[in-house]
């Protein structure tokens, strides 16, 4: 909330420095007050509309939740970034966050980058010794048509450099290096790296260019994508690359994220903790303890297949419908009418059959005993 108005970050492009700073410096959202049905009914039409808008925005931004997966990834990222304090004459280790879609890669990395930005500014100030704006993080999103020149231009776009529209790939590269040095960037994050066509000429060029960045830029190169190993990131962009000799493979630490699983008691406990954390964040008048973690545990696992992105989408859309329809709680009847992503819907039937036949359960032993 700012000056009584809901905070809106919906019009940001994190590939620009001003928007990334806005994202990083935005105050944490305040959870709307949980009203009873009687209190909802007592609101005026205008007050109720304002309250429901707050809830719409809140439910659309429930994360990030510090799951074991997120915590483990961030610990590894801190290890790598903090160990990259070598002098400028030494190449720094790079990171590749490589995992399937829907597991929270980008969300987890952005949460880390936000914390890193805060720490660097707190320790070193908002401006460098030369008076330049300090930008600890540069975040660039790639597309399927990104070549070496496009990548350099994208870095210049982040800084709003005046020379980002005219020049050669080499000129763009040196301008990007000047920006990184002047603003004392410490982490260069490249998102959606899998969009590159690695086995095409442009992919090989970019692979070589990434090595140049790792050699010349005093930054930790943080790459995020899907199936990066299969696409040749660690074998120099060629299917037959010698991974033993490949420089990228030797310098890059590959990190992953796993889905939730329910084939062990530890996995079931993790799943329950996730649902309990979500329950606390849901703002619906008729919610009750165990609404997600007890009543809907198996159902939500089947609908999401243990992927946090699919789970968050389903809960978000379910809450929107519950508010709009006046249902004010989540149950199977309401959620059956809510569509989820195609991958989850396709895998749903087999999981549901196993859960309903009791061949599988998502509930830990203690919660089953209590029930």
């Amino acid at each position: 909330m700012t000056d009584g108005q809901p905070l809106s970050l919906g019009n940001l492009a994190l590939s620009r420095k001003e928007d990334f700073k806005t994202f990083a410096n935005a105050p944490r959202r305040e959870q709307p007050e949980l009203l009873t049905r009687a209190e909802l009914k007592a609101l005026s039409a205008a007050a109720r509309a304002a309250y429901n808008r707050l809830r719409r925005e809140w439910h659309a931004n429930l994360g990030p939740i510090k799951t074991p997966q997120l915590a483990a990834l961030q610990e590894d990222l801190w290890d790598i970034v903090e160990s990259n304090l070598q002098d400028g004459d030494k190449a720094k280790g790079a990171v590749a966050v490589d995992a399937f879609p829907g597991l929270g890669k980008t969300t987890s990395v952005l949460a880390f980058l936000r914390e890193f930005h805060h720490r660097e500014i707190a320790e070193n100030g908002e401006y460098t010794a030369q008076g330049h704006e300090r930008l600890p993080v540069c975040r660039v999103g790639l597309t399927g048509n990104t070549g070496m020149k496009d990548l350099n231009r994208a870095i210049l776009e982040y800084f709003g450099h005046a020379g980002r529209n005219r020049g050669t790939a080499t000129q763009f590269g040196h301008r990007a290096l000047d920006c990184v040095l002047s603003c004392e960037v410490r982490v260069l994050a490249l998102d959606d790296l899998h969009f590159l066509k690695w086995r095409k000429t442009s992919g090989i060029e970019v692979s070589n260019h990434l090595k140049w960045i790792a050699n010349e830029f005093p930054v930790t190169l943080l790459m995020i994508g899907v199936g990066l190993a299969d696409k040749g990131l660690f074998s120099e962009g060629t299917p037959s690359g010698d991974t033993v000799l490949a420089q990228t493979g030797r310098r890059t630490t590959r990190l992953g994220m796993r889905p939730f699983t329910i084939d062990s008691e530890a996995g079931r406990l993790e799943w329950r903790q996730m649902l309990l954390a979500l329950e606390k964040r849901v703002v619906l008048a008729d919610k009750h303890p165990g609404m997600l973690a007890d009543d809907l545990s198996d159902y939500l696992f089947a609908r999401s297949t243990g992927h946090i992105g699919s789970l968050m989408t389903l809960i978000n859309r379910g809450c929107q419908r519950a508010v709009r329809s006046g249902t004010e709680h989540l149950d199977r009847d309401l959620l059956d009418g809510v569509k989820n992503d195609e991958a989850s819907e396709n895998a749903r039937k087999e999981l549901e059959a196993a859960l309903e036949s009791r061949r599988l359960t998502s509930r830990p032993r203690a919660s089953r005993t209590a029930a």
Side-chain angles (χ1 to χ4, degrees):
M1 298 280 289
T2 55
D3 298 327
Q5 296 298 316
L7 176 68
S8 178
L9 299 176
N11 198 36
L12 296 183
L14 297 183
S15 54
R16 297 174 181 173
K17 65 182 179 70
E18 295 85 1
D19 285 359
F20 186 88
K21 286 181 65 176
T22 299
F23 159 77
N25 294 326
R28 300 294 183 184
R29 291 179 183 272
E30 294 181 14
Q31 183 166 339
E33 180 184 0
L34 180 61
L35 302 182
T36 64
R37 281 228 178 231
E39 290 169 330
L40 271 178
K41 189 175 181 180
L43 293 176
S44 66
R48 182 162 187 163
Y51 178 66
N52 285 345
R53 178 180 178 180
L54 284 177
R55 292 199 290 174
R56 285 198 302 273
E57 294 191 357
W58 172 256
H59 288 137
N61 297 279
L62 286 174
I65 293 175
K66 195 159 189 177
T67 62
Q69 294 91 326
L70 181 147
L73 176 66
Q74 292 192 348
E75 278 298 302
D76 288 333
L77 289 174
W78 280 117
D79 286 344
I80 294 164
V81 172
E82 290 182 337
S83 68
N84 276 346
L85 292 177
Q86 301 97 326
D87 294 336
D89 62 322
K90 302 178 182 67
K92 301 179 187 299
V95 190
V97 181
D98 186 3
F100 289 116
L103 295 178
K105 298 182 302 297
T106 298
T107 299
S108 300
V109 169
L110 285 175
F112 167 79
L113 294 177
R114 176 176 176 153
E115 290 182 27
F116 181 76
H117 173 92
H118 285 167
R119 192 186 75 172
E120 289 295 297
I121 296 299
E123 290 183 354
N124 301 302
E126 294 188 13
Y127 296 94
T128 69
Q130 288 72 38
H132 300 294
E133 186 178 19
R134 186 183 305 281
L135 299 170
V137 172
C138 173
R139 183 262 174 202
V140 174
L142 281 79
T143 72
N145 295 318
T146 302
M148 186 169 65
K149 185 174 182 179
D150 300 311
L151 175 55
N152 292 341
R153 181 187 287 119
I155 297 174
L156 293 178
E157 284 282 357
Y158 181 86
F159 294 99
H161 193 284
R164 63 190 181 276
N165 295 318
R166 298 185 65 179
T168 65
T170 301
Q171 288 171 332
F172 283 171
H174 288 296
R175 290 169 194 166
L177 177 58
D178 286 343
C179 289
V180 165
L181 293 173
S182 297
C183 297
E184 298 189 6
V185 175
R186 293 294 173 256
V187 176
L188 173 58
L190 304 180
D191 204 354
D192 291 325
L193 204 66
H194 54 277
F195 284 163
L196 292 174
K197 298 176 182 177
W198 287 97
R199 307 233 164 104
K200 302 294 183 181
T201 302
S202 62
I204 296 171
E205 284 180 355
V206 174
S207 181
N208 290 330
H209 190 58
L210 293 178
K211 287 187 290 182
W212 177 74
I213 289 176
N215 288 334
E216 300 299 326
F217 286 41
V219 299
T220 298
L221 185 59
L222 201 171
M223 299 166 281
I224 309 129
V226 178
L228 299 180
D230 294 337
K231 292 181 182 298
L233 173 63
F234 306 108
S235 55
E236 308 300 285
T238 61
S240 58
D242 187 342
T243 55
V244 175
L245 299 177
Q247 191 180 76
T248 303
R250 284 292 181 179
R251 288 184 177 174
T252 304
T253 302
R254 182 182 177 188
L255 303 178
M257 294 193 77
R258 58 179 174 81
F260 287 93
T261 58
I262 56 172
D263 54 1
S264 69
E265 188 69 3
R268 291 187 286 270
L269 285 168
E270 283 185 356
W271 178 248
R272 181 173 178 81
Q273 290 303 313
M274 175 67 196
L275 296 184
L276 289 172
L278 268 178
E279 271 186 20
K280 291 180 181 178
R281 299 192 182 200
V282 168
V283 185
L284 298 173
D286 290 344
K287 83 167 184 179
H288 59 273
M291 180 180 71
L292 302 184
D294 293 328
D295 301 350
L296 293 170
S297 179
D298 284 356
Y299 176 84
L300 291 173
F301 191 86
R303 290 293 306 270
S304 66
T305 62
H307 285 62
I308 189 171
S310 301
L311 174 66
M312 300 297 279
T313 296
L314 184 61
I315 297 299
N316 173 18
R317 293 176 182 175
C319 288
Q320 305 297 349
R321 181 170 291 201
V323 169
R324 196 171 59 251
S325 66
T327 307
E328 292 294 338
H329 70 278
L330 298 179
D331 60 19
R332 183 163 185 160
D333 287 341
L334 181 139
L335 291 173
D336 271 343
V338 175
K339 302 295 188 295
N340 207 1
D341 62 86
E342 185 68 10
S344 294
E345 295 295 351
N346 287 338
R348 173 183 177 183
K349 289 183 180 179
E350 186 177 344
L351 261 177
E352 278 186 330
L355 289 163
E356 288 173 2
S357 67
R358 304 302 175 93
R359 287 183 286 120
L360 272 179
T361 181
S362 66
R363 298 181 63 185
R365 197 171 294 112
S367 68
R368 297 200 302 273
T369 303

